[in-house]
């Protein structure tokens, strides 16, 4: 083994020695969430520290389902997140394409406004948005209210603008010379080239919708229209908190997303890297 290979091996070992404890620190709360989901409420706050799962997960889940119809809430969350992700990716891609490839009056102002919206805290627009949707449009307790108001995503627009700006303009000019319509250039030339960036953006938007709590809590007051995070929040009462049910629901919401992220992390990292380098 050469000295260079030995140095690379030493750096690799040192890096793993540093990152492995950090990974364990990050994973420990997730593991304890799994352990707590298998314990009764009185066992979660027992003096001893339990590090191994028990056999009470089904009991906690049955109590959760009885109190909240959690399976139905998960179905609503999946439907909302999938619809929101598809529409938001499409709209942000169209906006990014327009800002990257077309010249029009006020383009710089539009980009500046989009950049400005990133600096606004969500709490600033939350109440006006609620008043407009619930009072003016009378859309409270509807799927439209859950999906449409959050569709605009400033970071998504700027991300796709950067992705389309990286592509060679000659490719699109050649398609125009051949008589290809603009919408076909966007759908069948630009979007396939931006596939890694689209995958990364879709993962980010899906997770944002999946974990969204505050807006669904405000806009939907009917028990049958609750998303899964809101349904979990109903288990926290004034006199009683169903910790076992909350932990079981949290596991059901977290573990599938971790599995999806692990399976798609290659596409996610590739999309982020491709969109960040020009």
């Amino acid at each position: 083994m050469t000295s260079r290979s030995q140095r690379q091996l030493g750096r690799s070992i040192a890096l793993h020695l540093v990152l492995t404890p950090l990974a364990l620190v990050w994973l420990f709360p997730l593991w304890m969430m799994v352990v707590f989901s298998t314990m009764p409420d009185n066992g979660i706050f027992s003096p001893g520290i339990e590090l191994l799962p028990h056999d009470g997960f089904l009991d906690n889940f049955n109590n959760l389902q009885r109190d909240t119809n959690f399976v139905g809430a998960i179905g609503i969350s999946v439907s909302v997140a999938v619809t929101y992700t598809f529409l938001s990716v499409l709209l942000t891609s169209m906006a990014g394409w327009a800002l990257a490839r077309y010249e029009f009056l006020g383009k710089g102002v539009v980009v500046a406004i989009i950049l400005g919206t990133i600096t606004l805290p969500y709490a600033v627009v939350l109440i006006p948005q609620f008043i407009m949707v619930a009072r003016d449009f009378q859309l409270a307790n509807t799927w439209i209210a859950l999906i449409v108001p959050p569709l605009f995503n400033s970071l998504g627009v700027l991300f796709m603008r950067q992705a389309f700006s990286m592509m060679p303009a000659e490719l699109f000019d050649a398609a125009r010379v051949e008589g290809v319509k603009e919408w076909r250039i966007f759908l069948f030339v630009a979007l396939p080239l931006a596939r890694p960036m689209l995958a990364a953006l879709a993962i980010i938007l899906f997770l944002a919708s999946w974990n969204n709590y505050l807006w669904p809590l405000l806009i939907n007051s009917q028990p049958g229209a609750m998303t899964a995070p809101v349904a979990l929040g109903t288990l926290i009462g004034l006199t009683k908190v169903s910790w076992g049910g909350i932990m079981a629901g949290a596991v059901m919401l977290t573990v599938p997303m971790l599995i999806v992220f692990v399976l798609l992390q290659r596409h996610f990292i590739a999309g982020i890297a491709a969109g960040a380098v020009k």
Side-chain angles (χ1 to χ4, degrees), residues 7-260:
R7 288 196 300 269
Q8 291 178 344
L9 179 61
R11 284 196 295 266
S12 178
I13 293 175
L15 184 63
H16 281 79
L17 289 176
V18 173
L19 293 181
T20 298
L22 293 177
L24 293 176
V25 170
W26 182 82
L27 290 173
F28 183 73
L30 297 178
W31 174 249
M32 293 307 301
M33 177 182 67
V34 174
V35 173
F36 289 154
S37 70
T38 64
M39 299 171 61
D41 290 347
N42 56 2
I44 293 176
F45 295 99
S46 60
I49 300 177
E50 298 285 346
L51 296 178
L52 296 178
H54 292 224
D55 57 356
F57 182 83
L58 289 179
D59 293 334
N60 288 331
F61 173 74
N62 289 333
N63 294 333
L64 172 65
Q65 178 64 19
R66 181 195 63 212
D67 295 336
T68 65
N69 186 23
F70 194 67
V71 173
I74 287 181
I76 294 174
S77 286
V78 170
S79 301
V80 169
V82 169
T83 306
Y84 165 79
T85 301
F86 174 78
L87 293 177
S88 188
V89 167
L90 179 61
L91 292 176
T92 53
S93 299
M94 294 170 63
W97 171 257
L99 292 174
R101 291 302 174 185
Y102 297 143
E103 295 296 333
F104 53 88
L105 182 63
K107 176 180 175 179
V109 176
V110 172
V111 174
I113 292 175
I114 294 175
L115 285 170
T117 59
I118 298 177
T119 64
L120 289 177
Y122 183 57
V124 173
V125 300
L126 182 63
I127 299 304
Q129 180 175 279
F130 172 77
I131 294 174
M132 180 178 65
V133 173
R135 186 190 66 184
D136 299 338
F137 294 156
Q138 300 292 316
L139 291 175
N141 299 308
T142 65
W143 282 42
I144 295 177
L146 282 174
I147 297 172
V148 173
L151 278 181
F152 177 77
N153 188 279
S154 302
L155 287 176
V157 172
L158 297 176
F159 182 73
M160 294 310 301
R161 173 177 175 263
Q162 175 70 12
F164 290 131
S165 298
M166 295 164 50
M167 299 177 184
E170 293 80 5
L171 180 65
F172 307 120
D173 293 337
R176 294 187 182 98
V177 170
E178 294 295 329
V180 181
K181 297 183 180 299
E182 289 294 324
W183 67 269
R184 293 181 64 89
I185 294 175
F186 172 69
L187 288 179
F188 300 110
V189 180
L191 287 186
L193 291 176
R195 195 177 307 161
M197 288 74 79
L198 290 174
L201 180 61
I203 294 173
I204 294 173
L205 293 177
F206 184 88
L207 291 177
S209 178
W210 183 260
N211 294 321
N212 193 8
Y213 175 77
L214 187 55
W215 177 249
L217 175 66
L218 287 177
I219 203 63
N220 273 350
S221 58
Q222 296 180 355
M226 289 181 179
T227 58
V230 177
L232 279 184
T234 62
L235 295 179
I236 302 177
L238 294 176
T239 59
K240 179 183 177 182
V241 179
S242 180
W243 292 110
I246 292 175
M247 292 295 104
V251 168
M252 294 184 64
L253 291 179
T254 303
V255 172
M257 293 301 100
L258 288 177
I259 295 174
V260 169

